[in-house]
Amino acid sequence: MMKKFSILLVSIIFLNSCSTYYSSVSLEKISSQKKLTAEKFAQTLFKKCREKDYSEFKGFNISKQFEMFLVKDSLKKQCEKIEKKYGNITVLKLTSAHTAKHPQDIMDVLNFNITTEKISKPLFLHIGMHRDQDFVDRPFVINDFENYFGYKLKQYRKSKKK
């Protein structure tokens, strides 16, 4: 009896460790307002960078945590980094969305396909949006992974190897 219980316990632990940290969200389940807000925010940010307009964002609900990265000095630094690495950026379309499985995470990550002036390979923009409201939040990341959580997992594994 104890042997069967041990095998069952080990199996449950193994299966739980195999589950992923995130799940995909069907694009049909995300409100069109949320999709539009995220896309407009990205387009507005890149337009501000192109025009060197570091004024306050108007018309968007931005989380307080993310807002501190968008104040004049921080925004200028972010725009300079974007310009140096990517040049002009064009947001093409929403390709996927993912959400963390933990109940305390209140964020969906919307992944947009983008094109850049300096890099020809496919790149993605990841924008965090609160699940229950249309608040824009971090992450706001550009990389070559379609899935933001896959990108974070790769970074985590690299840091463990060091």
Side-chain angles (χ1 to χ4, degrees), residues 32-79:
S32 58
Q33 179 62 33
K34 186 173 286 202
K35 294 176 197 175
L36 187 61
T37 300
E39 185 175 354
K40 278 187 175 181
F41 177 79
Q43 290 172 346
T44 302
L45 186 134
F46 296 137
K47 181 180 178 187
K48 283 179 168 281
C49 288
R50 273 192 305 274
E51 296 174 355
K52 300 193 184 327
D53 172 15
Y54 308 120
S55 62
E56 181 180 338
F57 282 82
K58 295 189 192 284
F60 295 100
N61 295 324
I62 301 171
S63 74
K64 294 296 179 191
Q65 184 181 23
F66 187 43
E67 202 170 60
M68 69 182 171
F69 289 98
L70 300 175
V71 293
K72 188 173 185 171
D73 294 339
S74 299
L75 181 58
K76 182 178 179 182
K77 288 178 186 175
Q78 293 299 322
C79 287

Short mmCIF file of all heavy atoms in Angstrom, two decimals, residues 32-79:
data_model
loop_
_atom_site.label_atom_id
_atom_site.label_comp_id
_atom_site.label_asym_id
_atom_site.label_seq_id
_atom_site.Cartn_x
_atom_site.Cartn_y
_atom_site.Cartn_z
N SER A 32 -11.92 43.64 -28.33
CA SER A 32 -11.36 44.46 -29.40
C SER A 32 -10.83 45.78 -28.85
O SER A 32 -9.86 46.33 -29.37
CB SER A 32 -12.39 44.70 -30.50
OG SER A 32 -13.53 45.33 -29.96
N GLN A 33 -11.45 46.28 -27.78
CA GLN A 33 -10.99 47.52 -27.15
C GLN A 33 -9.58 47.33 -26.58
O GLN A 33 -8.73 48.20 -26.73
CB GLN A 33 -11.96 47.94 -26.04
CG GLN A 33 -11.55 49.20 -25.31
CD GLN A 33 -11.50 50.42 -26.23
OE1 GLN A 33 -12.28 50.53 -27.17
NE2 GLN A 33 -10.59 51.33 -25.96
N LYS A 34 -9.34 46.20 -25.94
CA LYS A 34 -8.02 45.93 -25.36
C LYS A 34 -6.96 45.81 -26.46
O LYS A 34 -5.87 46.36 -26.35
CB LYS A 34 -8.06 44.64 -24.54
CG LYS A 34 -6.77 44.36 -23.79
CD LYS A 34 -6.92 43.19 -22.87
CE LYS A 34 -7.74 43.66 -21.70
NZ LYS A 34 -7.60 42.90 -20.50
N LYS A 35 -7.30 45.12 -27.53
CA LYS A 35 -6.37 44.99 -28.66
C LYS A 35 -6.04 46.36 -29.25
O LYS A 35 -4.88 46.67 -29.51
CB LYS A 35 -6.97 44.10 -29.76
CG LYS A 35 -7.18 42.67 -29.38
CD LYS A 35 -7.88 41.96 -30.54
CE LYS A 35 -8.48 40.66 -30.14
NZ LYS A 35 -9.25 40.04 -31.24
N LEU A 36 -7.08 47.15 -29.45
CA LEU A 36 -6.90 48.47 -30.04
C LEU A 36 -6.09 49.38 -29.13
O LEU A 36 -5.21 50.12 -29.60
CB LEU A 36 -8.27 49.08 -30.33
CG LEU A 36 -8.29 50.39 -31.09
CD1 LEU A 36 -7.66 50.22 -32.47
CD2 LEU A 36 -9.71 50.91 -31.23
N THR A 37 -6.35 49.33 -27.83
CA THR A 37 -5.61 50.15 -26.87
C THR A 37 -4.13 49.82 -26.91
O THR A 37 -3.29 50.73 -26.95
CB THR A 37 -6.16 49.95 -25.45
OG1 THR A 37 -7.53 50.33 -25.42
CG2 THR A 37 -5.39 50.77 -24.44
N ALA A 38 -3.80 48.54 -26.88
CA ALA A 38 -2.39 48.14 -26.91
C ALA A 38 -1.71 48.57 -28.20
O ALA A 38 -0.59 49.10 -28.18
CB ALA A 38 -2.28 46.62 -26.74
N GLU A 39 -2.38 48.37 -29.32
CA GLU A 39 -1.78 48.74 -30.61
C GLU A 39 -1.61 50.26 -30.72
O GLU A 39 -0.55 50.73 -31.13
CB GLU A 39 -2.66 48.23 -31.75
CG GLU A 39 -2.05 48.46 -33.11
CD GLU A 39 -2.86 47.83 -34.23
OE1 GLU A 39 -3.84 47.12 -33.95
OE2 GLU A 39 -2.48 48.05 -35.39
N LYS A 40 -2.62 51.01 -30.31
CA LYS A 40 -2.52 52.48 -30.37
C LYS A 40 -1.43 53.00 -29.44
O LYS A 40 -0.72 53.94 -29.77
CB LYS A 40 -3.86 53.12 -30.01
CG LYS A 40 -4.83 53.17 -31.14
CD LYS A 40 -6.04 53.99 -30.75
CE LYS A 40 -6.97 54.16 -31.92
NZ LYS A 40 -8.15 54.96 -31.57
N PHE A 41 -1.30 52.38 -28.27
CA PHE A 41 -0.26 52.81 -27.34
C PHE A 41 1.12 52.61 -27.97
O PHE A 41 1.97 53.50 -27.92
CB PHE A 41 -0.35 52.05 -26.02
CG PHE A 41 0.75 52.42 -25.07
CD1 PHE A 41 0.67 53.59 -24.34
CD2 PHE A 41 1.88 51.63 -24.93
CE1 PHE A 41 1.69 53.96 -23.48
CE2 PHE A 41 2.91 51.99 -24.08
CZ PHE A 41 2.81 53.16 -23.35
N ALA A 42 1.35 51.44 -28.55
CA ALA A 42 2.65 51.17 -29.18
C ALA A 42 2.91 52.14 -30.32
O ALA A 42 4.01 52.70 -30.43
CB ALA A 42 2.69 49.73 -29.68
N GLN A 43 1.92 52.35 -31.15
CA GLN A 43 2.09 53.29 -32.27
C GLN A 43 2.37 54.70 -31.77
O GLN A 43 3.22 55.40 -32.32
CB GLN A 43 0.85 53.27 -33.17
CG GLN A 43 0.71 51.98 -33.94
CD GLN A 43 -0.62 51.88 -34.68
OE1 GLN A 43 -1.55 52.63 -34.43
NE2 GLN A 43 -0.70 50.92 -35.59
N THR A 44 1.68 55.11 -30.72
CA THR A 44 1.89 56.44 -30.14
C THR A 44 3.30 56.57 -29.58
O THR A 44 3.98 57.58 -29.80
CB THR A 44 0.85 56.73 -29.04
OG1 THR A 44 -0.46 56.62 -29.61
CG2 THR A 44 1.05 58.11 -28.44
N LEU A 45 3.75 55.55 -28.86
CA LEU A 45 5.10 55.60 -28.29
C LEU A 45 6.16 55.71 -29.38
O LEU A 45 7.05 56.54 -29.31
CB LEU A 45 5.37 54.38 -27.42
CG LEU A 45 6.70 54.46 -26.68
CD1 LEU A 45 6.50 54.07 -25.22
CD2 LEU A 45 7.73 53.56 -27.30
N PHE A 46 6.04 54.89 -30.42
CA PHE A 46 7.04 54.92 -31.49
C PHE A 46 6.96 56.23 -32.27
O PHE A 46 7.98 56.75 -32.73
CB PHE A 46 6.89 53.72 -32.41
CG PHE A 46 7.16 52.41 -31.72
CD1 PHE A 46 6.36 51.31 -31.94
CD2 PHE A 46 8.22 52.27 -30.83
CE1 PHE A 46 6.61 50.10 -31.30
CE2 PHE A 46 8.48 51.08 -30.18
CZ PHE A 46 7.66 49.99 -30.41
N LYS A 47 5.77 56.79 -32.41
CA LYS A 47 5.63 58.09 -33.08
C LYS A 47 6.29 59.17 -32.24
O LYS A 47 6.99 60.04 -32.77
CB LYS A 47 4.15 58.41 -33.29
CG LYS A 47 3.92 59.72 -34.01
CD LYS A 47 2.44 59.99 -34.19
CE LYS A 47 2.24 61.33 -34.86
NZ LYS A 47 0.82 61.69 -34.92
N LYS A 48 6.09 59.14 -30.92
CA LYS A 48 6.73 60.12 -30.03
C LYS A 48 8.25 60.01 -30.15
O LYS A 48 8.95 61.01 -30.16
CB LYS A 48 6.30 59.89 -28.58
CG LYS A 48 4.92 60.42 -28.26
CD LYS A 48 4.60 60.12 -26.81
CE LYS A 48 3.40 60.84 -26.34
NZ LYS A 48 3.63 62.24 -26.01
N CYS A 49 8.76 58.81 -30.24
CA CYS A 49 10.20 58.62 -30.37
C CYS A 49 10.71 59.21 -31.69
O CYS A 49 11.73 59.88 -31.71
CB CYS A 49 10.56 57.13 -30.29
SG CYS A 49 10.40 56.43 -28.63
N ARG A 50 10.00 58.92 -32.79
CA ARG A 50 10.41 59.44 -34.09
C ARG A 50 10.42 60.97 -34.10
O ARG A 50 11.32 61.59 -34.66
CB ARG A 50 9.46 58.95 -35.20
CG ARG A 50 9.80 57.64 -35.80
CD ARG A 50 9.01 57.37 -37.08
NE ARG A 50 7.57 57.46 -36.91
CZ ARG A 50 6.78 56.46 -36.50
NH1 ARG A 50 7.29 55.31 -36.19
NH2 ARG A 50 5.49 56.65 -36.40
N GLU A 51 9.42 61.56 -33.46
CA GLU A 51 9.28 63.01 -33.47
C GLU A 51 10.00 63.69 -32.29
O GLU A 51 9.93 64.90 -32.15
CB GLU A 51 7.79 63.38 -33.44
CG GLU A 51 7.06 62.92 -34.68
CD GLU A 51 5.56 63.15 -34.61
OE1 GLU A 51 5.05 63.60 -33.54
OE2 GLU A 51 4.89 62.89 -35.62
N LYS A 52 10.65 62.87 -31.46
CA LYS A 52 11.36 63.37 -30.28
C LYS A 52 10.43 64.20 -29.39
O LYS A 52 10.80 65.25 -28.86
CB LYS A 52 12.60 64.14 -30.67
CG LYS A 52 13.58 63.26 -31.47
CD LYS A 52 14.92 63.87 -31.61
CE LYS A 52 15.87 63.07 -32.46
NZ LYS A 52 15.80 61.66 -32.47
N ASP A 53 9.21 63.71 -29.24
CA ASP A 53 8.19 64.33 -28.39
C ASP A 53 8.12 63.52 -27.10
O ASP A 53 7.58 62.42 -27.08
CB ASP A 53 6.84 64.31 -29.12
CG ASP A 53 5.69 64.75 -28.25
OD1 ASP A 53 5.92 65.33 -27.17
OD2 ASP A 53 4.53 64.49 -28.65
N TYR A 54 8.66 64.05 -26.03
CA TYR A 54 8.72 63.31 -24.77
C TYR A 54 7.66 63.81 -23.77
O TYR A 54 7.84 63.71 -22.57
CB TYR A 54 10.13 63.41 -24.17
CG TYR A 54 11.19 63.01 -25.18
CD1 TYR A 54 12.18 63.91 -25.57
CD2 TYR A 54 11.18 61.75 -25.76
CE1 TYR A 54 13.14 63.54 -26.51
CE2 TYR A 54 12.13 61.38 -26.69
CZ TYR A 54 13.10 62.28 -27.06
OH TYR A 54 14.04 61.91 -27.99
N SER A 55 6.57 64.31 -24.31
CA SER A 55 5.50 64.81 -23.45
C SER A 55 4.70 63.65 -22.86
O SER A 55 4.86 62.49 -23.25
CB SER A 55 4.57 65.72 -24.26
OG SER A 55 3.97 64.99 -25.32
N GLU A 56 3.81 63.99 -21.95
CA GLU A 56 2.99 63.01 -21.25
C GLU A 56 2.03 62.30 -22.21
O GLU A 56 1.53 62.89 -23.16
CB GLU A 56 2.18 63.73 -20.16
CG GLU A 56 1.32 62.85 -19.33
CD GLU A 56 0.54 63.63 -18.28
OE1 GLU A 56 0.97 64.74 -17.93
OE2 GLU A 56 -0.48 63.11 -17.81
N PHE A 57 1.80 61.01 -21.97
CA PHE A 57 0.84 60.24 -22.76
C PHE A 57 -0.57 60.63 -22.32
O PHE A 57 -0.87 60.63 -21.14
CB PHE A 57 1.03 58.74 -22.54
CG PHE A 57 2.18 58.18 -23.30
CD1 PHE A 57 3.47 58.29 -22.82
CD2 PHE A 57 1.98 57.54 -24.51
CE1 PHE A 57 4.53 57.77 -23.53
CE2 PHE A 57 3.03 57.02 -25.23
CZ PHE A 57 4.32 57.14 -24.74
N LYS A 58 -1.42 60.93 -23.28
CA LYS A 58 -2.80 61.29 -22.97
C LYS A 58 -3.73 60.30 -23.67
O LYS A 58 -3.45 59.84 -24.76
CB LYS A 58 -3.10 62.71 -23.43
CG LYS A 58 -2.29 63.75 -22.68
CD LYS A 58 -2.77 65.14 -23.00
CE LYS A 58 -1.84 66.18 -22.52
NZ LYS A 58 -1.72 66.57 -21.27
N GLY A 59 -4.82 59.99 -22.99
CA GLY A 59 -5.82 59.10 -23.59
C GLY A 59 -5.58 57.63 -23.31
O GLY A 59 -6.26 56.78 -23.89
N PHE A 60 -4.62 57.31 -22.46
CA PHE A 60 -4.32 55.91 -22.13
C PHE A 60 -4.35 55.72 -20.62
O PHE A 60 -3.92 56.60 -19.87
CB PHE A 60 -2.94 55.50 -22.64
CG PHE A 60 -2.82 55.51 -24.13
CD1 PHE A 60 -2.22 56.58 -24.78
CD2 PHE A 60 -3.31 54.46 -24.89
CE1 PHE A 60 -2.10 56.60 -26.15
CE2 PHE A 60 -3.20 54.48 -26.26
CZ PHE A 60 -2.60 55.55 -26.89
N ASN A 61 -4.86 54.58 -20.19
CA ASN A 61 -4.75 54.18 -18.79
C ASN A 61 -3.43 53.44 -18.65
O ASN A 61 -3.27 52.35 -19.20
CB ASN A 61 -5.91 53.27 -18.38
CG ASN A 61 -7.23 53.99 -18.43
OD1 ASN A 61 -7.31 55.16 -18.12
ND2 ASN A 61 -8.27 53.27 -18.81
N ILE A 62 -2.50 54.02 -17.93
CA ILE A 62 -1.18 53.44 -17.76
C ILE A 62 -0.96 53.16 -16.28
O ILE A 62 -1.23 54.02 -15.45
CB ILE A 62 -0.09 54.38 -18.30
CG1 ILE A 62 -0.33 54.68 -19.78
CG2 ILE A 62 1.30 53.79 -18.09
CD1 ILE A 62 0.54 55.76 -20.35
N SER A 63 -0.49 51.96 -15.97
CA SER A 63 -0.26 51.63 -14.56
C SER A 63 0.81 52.56 -13.99
O SER A 63 1.69 53.03 -14.70
CB SER A 63 0.18 50.17 -14.42
OG SER A 63 1.50 50.02 -14.86
N LYS A 64 0.71 52.82 -12.71
CA LYS A 64 1.67 53.70 -12.04
C LYS A 64 3.09 53.15 -12.14
O LYS A 64 4.06 53.89 -12.29
CB LYS A 64 1.29 53.91 -10.57
CG LYS A 64 0.01 54.66 -10.40
CD LYS A 64 0.12 56.07 -10.94
CE LYS A 64 -1.17 56.82 -10.79
NZ LYS A 64 -1.19 58.07 -11.50
N GLN A 65 3.22 51.83 -12.07
CA GLN A 65 4.53 51.19 -12.15
C GLN A 65 5.17 51.44 -13.52
O GLN A 65 6.36 51.72 -13.62
CB GLN A 65 4.37 49.70 -11.90
CG GLN A 65 5.66 48.93 -11.85
CD GLN A 65 5.42 47.45 -11.63
OE1 GLN A 65 4.34 46.93 -11.92
NE2 GLN A 65 6.41 46.76 -11.13
N PHE A 66 4.38 51.37 -14.57
CA PHE A 66 4.90 51.58 -15.92
C PHE A 66 5.05 53.06 -16.23
O PHE A 66 5.92 53.46 -17.00
CB PHE A 66 3.97 50.90 -16.93
CG PHE A 66 4.47 50.89 -18.35
CD1 PHE A 66 5.79 50.59 -18.65
CD2 PHE A 66 3.62 51.18 -19.40
CE1 PHE A 66 6.25 50.58 -19.96
CE2 PHE A 66 4.06 51.16 -20.71
CZ PHE A 66 5.38 50.86 -20.98
N GLU A 67 4.21 53.88 -15.62
CA GLU A 67 4.23 55.32 -15.87
C GLU A 67 5.58 55.95 -15.54
O GLU A 67 6.01 56.88 -16.21
CB GLU A 67 3.13 55.99 -15.05
CG GLU A 67 2.69 57.31 -15.57
CD GLU A 67 1.44 57.79 -14.86
OE1 GLU A 67 1.48 57.97 -13.62
OE2 GLU A 67 0.43 57.98 -15.54
N MET A 68 6.26 55.42 -14.52
CA MET A 68 7.55 56.02 -14.15
C MET A 68 8.62 55.81 -15.23
O MET A 68 9.60 56.52 -15.29
CB MET A 68 8.03 55.50 -12.80
CG MET A 68 8.43 54.08 -12.76
SD MET A 68 8.91 53.69 -11.06
CE MET A 68 9.08 51.95 -11.18
N PHE A 69 8.40 54.83 -16.12
CA PHE A 69 9.33 54.63 -17.23
C PHE A 69 8.99 55.52 -18.42
O PHE A 69 9.70 55.54 -19.40
CB PHE A 69 9.33 53.16 -17.67
CG PHE A 69 9.99 52.26 -16.67
CD1 PHE A 69 9.23 51.55 -15.76
CD2 PHE A 69 11.37 52.15 -16.61
CE1 PHE A 69 9.83 50.73 -14.82
CE2 PHE A 69 11.97 51.33 -15.68
CZ PHE A 69 11.20 50.63 -14.78
N LEU A 70 7.86 56.22 -18.31
CA LEU A 70 7.42 57.05 -19.42
C LEU A 70 7.49 58.54 -19.12
O LEU A 70 6.99 59.34 -19.90
CB LEU A 70 5.98 56.67 -19.80
CG LEU A 70 5.79 55.23 -20.24
CD1 LEU A 70 4.32 54.95 -20.47
CD2 LEU A 70 6.60 54.91 -21.48
N VAL A 71 8.09 58.91 -18.00
CA VAL A 71 8.29 60.33 -17.73
C VAL A 71 9.37 60.85 -18.67
O VAL A 71 10.14 60.08 -19.25
CB VAL A 71 8.66 60.59 -16.24
CG1 VAL A 71 7.49 60.25 -15.35
CG2 VAL A 71 9.90 59.85 -15.84
N LYS A 72 9.44 62.13 -18.81
CA LYS A 72 10.26 62.77 -19.84
C LYS A 72 11.68 62.21 -19.96
O LYS A 72 12.09 61.79 -21.03
CB LYS A 72 10.30 64.28 -19.59
CG LYS A 72 10.94 65.04 -20.71
CD LYS A 72 10.80 66.52 -20.51
CE LYS A 72 11.36 67.22 -21.73
NZ LYS A 72 11.09 68.63 -21.72
N ASP A 73 12.44 62.17 -18.86
CA ASP A 73 13.83 61.70 -18.95
C ASP A 73 13.92 60.23 -19.30
O ASP A 73 14.74 59.83 -20.13
CB ASP A 73 14.56 61.96 -17.63
CG ASP A 73 14.72 63.45 -17.34
OD1 ASP A 73 14.65 64.24 -18.30
OD2 ASP A 73 14.91 63.81 -16.17
N SER A 74 13.08 59.41 -18.68
CA SER A 74 13.11 57.97 -18.94
C SER A 74 12.67 57.67 -20.37
O SER A 74 13.25 56.83 -21.03
CB SER A 74 12.20 57.22 -17.96
OG SER A 74 12.63 57.41 -16.65
N LEU A 75 11.62 58.36 -20.81
CA LEU A 75 11.13 58.14 -22.16
C LEU A 75 12.20 58.52 -23.18
O LEU A 75 12.40 57.82 -24.17
CB LEU A 75 9.85 58.94 -22.40
CG LEU A 75 9.21 58.79 -23.78
CD1 LEU A 75 8.87 57.33 -24.06
CD2 LEU A 75 7.96 59.64 -23.87
N LYS A 76 12.90 59.61 -22.94
CA LYS A 76 13.96 60.03 -23.85
C LYS A 76 15.04 58.96 -23.95
O LYS A 76 15.47 58.61 -25.05
CB LYS A 76 14.56 61.35 -23.38
CG LYS A 76 15.63 61.89 -24.30
CD LYS A 76 16.17 63.21 -23.82
CE LYS A 76 17.25 63.69 -24.78
NZ LYS A 76 17.84 64.95 -24.34
N LYS A 77 15.44 58.39 -22.81
CA LYS A 77 16.46 57.33 -22.81
C LYS A 77 15.96 56.10 -23.55
O LYS A 77 16.70 55.49 -24.33
CB LYS A 77 16.85 56.96 -21.39
CG LYS A 77 17.67 58.02 -20.70
CD LYS A 77 17.98 57.62 -19.27
CE LYS A 77 18.67 58.75 -18.52
NZ LYS A 77 18.88 58.43 -17.11
N GLN A 78 14.70 55.72 -23.31
CA GLN A 78 14.14 54.55 -23.99
C GLN A 78 14.07 54.77 -25.49
O GLN A 78 14.41 53.89 -26.28
CB GLN A 78 12.73 54.23 -23.44
CG GLN A 78 12.71 53.77 -22.02
CD GLN A 78 13.50 52.49 -21.81
OE1 GLN A 78 13.51 51.60 -22.64
NE2 GLN A 78 14.18 52.41 -20.68
N CYS A 79 13.66 55.96 -25.89
CA CYS A 79 13.57 56.28 -27.32
C CYS A 79 14.95 56.25 -27.98
O CYS A 79 15.10 55.77 -29.11
CB CYS A 79 12.91 57.63 -27.52
SG CYS A 79 11.13 57.62 -27.22
#
